[in-house]
């Protein structure tokens, strides 16, 4: 982890971290957003979405109400169940169409809901799965709720758009009234005795300006209308919160399994390349010393002395390895003592402050310890700092960690980096890692873990 994290200090900065524009980034516009909005592709796509919503919602509403009414009416017979299941299945199909339409016109990425879960194959099992699926009933609810909203948004969008452009272009077509309608201009007010027409240059100019305001406001009104569509699609046609949570837990479980496997491989490699190799060499040296014991006692004594030094080195490596697995001081005395021990081995002075009234569960305590330990290793190797601080405290049901240094900064959570791996580890237990590290420093890394007690 430390090596990749260290790339954020200095040379490993990308364009974004350096504050330079990236190739392929957003183009800077000379016109403000309010003036260019009527001509942007996004505005026309959203307007097209509103226009298509009315006919699609009519078909969907009629289909849903007809099939459900027919199915409920036929429930007195066996035919009602398959008709109702077919109606719900059709609503699921329309839901897939709506997700695709929102993806194409609104740039709304909504994951597909959970598929039907059938314990066995067959038509009866399919009907049961459709009727028991929450996605089917949410799709039916969408079909019912979207129809009145589609009518409202269609009327508002079309009228605002039509009036805006009609008034804006009024200077180009006001001549139609005296030539073909027999009146001086667009009638603003009229009764039996009075008539007010927009026919002089001042009134025509004001009319165009009002149309300009309507035209500039139309994209934002349509965008506000489509926000409701986004909520409907995301809330009713996407996966449920429970299904999303299951997917997150499955992903987190995969991260935990991968992390555990990587740790096992690291321990095996350290044992094979370190302590095991030293112990093998030690056994060979002691064997040679045993053979020379009678022939050359002085040489045997030197070999035994060298073997004694190898034993000390192997014991130190085993202690370091055991400390990397789970230090005894953490188990015996908690985070305060364990983090103080880690801080004492850092190459820069570290201030440690732990404000906890009680200890969390060992799993959370261990993750907190290794998070701070790896961050301090990064400071030692890459930050070029002269001072660091570690703060640990509790806020309601969350355990907060913060590591600060006055180094060169530039650390970032990027793909494949050590901080990215640390973020995944914290995410596996519903934790969060936030890095604030501007170029030139200081660096502030804040971690948040769930608080669980025994």
């Amino acid at each position: 982890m430390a090596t990749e994290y260290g790339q954020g200090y200095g040379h490993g900065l990308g364009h974004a971290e350096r504050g330079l524009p990236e190739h392929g980034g957003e183009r800077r516009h000379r016109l403000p957003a309010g003036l260019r909005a009527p001509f942007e592709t996004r505005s026309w796509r959203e307007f097209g979405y509103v226009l298509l919503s009315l006919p699609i919602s009519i078909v969907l509403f009629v289909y849903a109400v007809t099939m459900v009414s027919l199915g409920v009416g036929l429930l007195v017979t066996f035919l009602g169940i398959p008709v109702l299941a077919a109606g719900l299945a059709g609503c699921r199909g329309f839901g897939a169409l709506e997700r695709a339409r929102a993806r194409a016109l609104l740039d709304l990425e909504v994951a597909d809901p959970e598929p039907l879960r059938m314990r066995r194959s067959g038509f009866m099992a399919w009907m049961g799965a459709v009727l028991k699926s929450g996605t089917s009933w949410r799709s039916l609810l969408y079909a019912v709720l979207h129809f009145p909203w589609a009518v409202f948004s269609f009327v508002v969008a079309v009228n605002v758009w039509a009036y805006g452009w009609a008034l804006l272009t009024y200077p180009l077509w006001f001549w139609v009234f005296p030539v073909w309608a027999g009146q001086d201009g667009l009638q603003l007010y009229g009764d039996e005795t009075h008539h007010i027409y927009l026919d002089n240059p001042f009134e025509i100019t004001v009319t165009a300006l009002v149309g300009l305001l309507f035209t500039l406001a139309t994209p934002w009104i349509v965008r506000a209308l489509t926000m409701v569509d986004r909520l409907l699609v995301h809330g009713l046609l996407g996966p449920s919160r429970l299904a999303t949570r299951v997917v997150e837990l499955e992903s987190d479980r995969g991260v935990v399994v991968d992390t555990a496997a990587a740790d096992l491989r690291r321990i095996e490699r350290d044992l094979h390349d370190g302590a095991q190799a030293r112990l093998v060499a030690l056994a060979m040296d002691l064997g040679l010393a045993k053979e020379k014991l009678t022939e050359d006692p002085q040489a045997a004594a030197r070999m035994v002395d060298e073997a004694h030094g190898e034993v000390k080195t192997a014991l130190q490596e085993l202690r370091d390895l055991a400390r990397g697995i789970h230090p005894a001081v953490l188990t015996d005395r908690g985070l305060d003592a364990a983090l103080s021990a880690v801080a004492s081995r850092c190459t820069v002075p570290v201030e440690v402050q732990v404000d906890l009234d009680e200890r969390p569960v060992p799993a959370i305590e261990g993750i907190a310890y290794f998070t701070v330990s790896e961050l301090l290793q990064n400071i030692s190797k890459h930050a070029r700092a002269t001072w660091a601080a570690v703060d640990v405290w509790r806020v309601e049901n969350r355990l907060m960690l913060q590591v600060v240094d006055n180094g060169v900064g530039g650390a970032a959570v990027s793909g494949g980096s050590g901080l990215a791996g640390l973020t995944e580890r914290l995410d596996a237990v519903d934790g969060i890692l936030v890095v604030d590290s501007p170029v030139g420093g200081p660096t502030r890394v804040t971690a948040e873990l769930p608080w669980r007690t025994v």
Side-chain angles (χ1 to χ4, degrees):
M1 173 197 137
T3 302
E4 293 86 351
Y5 175 88
Q7 292 176 355
Y9 292 98
H11 301 291
L13 294 175
H15 291 283
E17 289 83 357
R18 293 177 186 269
L20 300 177
E22 294 189 35
H23 296 290
E26 292 187 0
R27 183 179 56 184
R28 292 186 177 181
H29 298 275
R30 295 182 179 179
L31 290 177
L35 295 180
R36 68 175 186 270
F39 309 99
E40 286 185 332
T41 304
R42 175 183 176 180
S43 300
W44 289 100
R45 283 193 285 109
E46 291 173 341
F47 186 65
Y49 182 91
V50 173
L51 294 181
L52 289 174
S53 291
L54 181 61
I56 291 177
S57 65
I58 292 175
V59 174
L60 180 54
F61 181 82
V62 172
Y63 171 84
V65 172
T66 302
M67 294 297 292
V68 172
S69 302
L70 183 61
V72 172
L74 292 175
L75 281 178
V76 293
T77 66
F78 178 74
L79 292 177
I81 296 178
V83 171
L84 185 59
L88 293 176
C91 290
R92 290 177 66 102
F94 276 109
L97 172 64
E98 288 295 273
R99 287 193 300 273
R101 189 165 69 96
R103 189 179 302 115
L105 297 179
L106 299 182
D107 289 332
L108 179 64
E109 292 296 333
V110 179
D112 294 335
E114 59 273 17
L116 294 176
R117 298 190 177 187
M118 297 186 295
R119 296 182 178 179
R120 59 183 183 276
S121 59
F123 182 69
M124 298 296 294
W126 176 82
M127 285 194 305
V130 171
L131 292 173
K132 291 188 295 183
S133 172
T135 301
S136 303
W137 295 101
R138 292 199 308 274
S139 299
L140 173 63
L141 182 61
Y142 175 86
V144 175
L145 294 180
H146 189 253
F147 172 67
W149 174 251
V151 174
F152 174 78
S153 59
F154 180 88
V155 172
V156 171
V158 170
N159 278 279
V160 173
W161 183 87
Y163 277 107
W165 283 101
L167 296 177
L168 178 62
T169 58
Y170 182 62
L172 302 178
W173 58 271
F174 80 97
W175 57 268
V176 172
F177 291 96
V179 174
W180 301 102
Q183 61 185 44
D184 296 334
L186 184 66
Q187 184 174 337
L188 184 63
Y189 172 79
D191 55 21
E192 296 179 356
T193 58
H194 296 86
H195 299 278
I196 299 177
Y197 298 101
L198 303 174
D199 54 357
N200 61 63
F202 174 76
E203 293 174 346
I204 293 174
T205 303
V206 172
T207 301
L209 292 176
V210 173
L212 177 62
L213 294 178
F214 270 89
T215 303
L216 295 177
T218 298
W220 306 103
I221 295 174
V222 174
R223 192 160 301 172
L225 295 172
T226 56
M227 286 302 298
V228 179
D229 290 281
R230 294 171 188 270
L231 294 175
L232 289 173
V233 174
H234 188 274
L236 296 178
L237 300 182
S240 64
R241 291 185 177 181
L242 179 60
T244 303
R245 183 59 178 161
V246 169
V247 172
E248 291 177 355
L249 291 176
E250 290 178 349
S251 176
D252 293 343
R253 182 182 62 183
V255 172
V256 171
V257 171
D258 293 341
T259 301
D263 289 339
L264 289 175
R265 289 193 297 269
R266 176 182 60 81
I267 294 171
E268 181 182 6
R269 182 182 65 250
D270 291 344
L271 284 173
H272 182 271
D273 297 340
Q276 181 180 350
R278 291 188 181 278
L279 291 175
V280 171
L282 175 62
M284 296 176 61
D285 291 341
L286 289 176
L288 293 174
K290 182 180 178 181
E291 294 178 358
K292 292 179 176 283
L293 186 60
T294 56
E295 299 177 1
D296 191 354
Q298 292 182 352
R302 287 195 303 270
M303 296 179 69
V304 170
D305 185 61
E306 293 175 358
H308 183 257
E310 289 292 324
V311 168
K312 290 183 178 180
T313 304
L315 288 175
Q316 183 61 41
E317 290 181 353
L318 289 174
R319 289 194 193 97
D320 294 339
L321 183 60
R323 187 184 296 113
I325 299 173
H326 195 86
V329 64
L330 178 63
T331 303
D332 297 337
R333 300 173 57 188
L335 275 175
D336 194 355
L339 295 182
S340 297
V342 173
S344 65
R345 297 193 297 270
C346 190
T347 57
V348 301
V350 180
E351 297 180 6
V352 178
Q353 183 174 358
V354 179
D355 185 13
L356 298 176
D357 296 331
E358 56 181 330
R359 296 176 61 176
V361 294
I364 299 299
E365 195 174 53
I367 293 175
Y369 169 81
F370 287 111
T371 299
V372 175
S373 177
E374 293 189 24
L375 291 175
L376 290 180
Q377 288 181 22
N378 293 328
I379 293 174
S380 298
K381 296 180 179 180
H382 306 287
R384 300 202 294 275
T386 59
W387 170 87
V390 176
D391 290 326
V392 181
W393 71 99
R394 177 184 177 183
V395 178
E396 296 180 354
N397 61 341
R398 307 295 287 182
L399 176 63
M400 308 297 297
L401 313 171
Q402 191 172 85
V403 179
V404 183
D405 69 77
N406 63 347
V408 296
V413 180
S414 57
S417 70
L419 281 178
L422 191 57
T423 302
E424 292 178 354
R425 291 193 180 191
L426 295 180
D427 185 63
V429 292
D430 290 336
I432 301 173
L433 186 74
V434 179
V435 179
D436 180 17
S437 182
V439 177
T443 296
R444 185 183 305 272
V445 181
T446 305
E448 181 179 333
L449 292 167
W451 179 273
R452 301 189 184 109
T453 54
V454 180

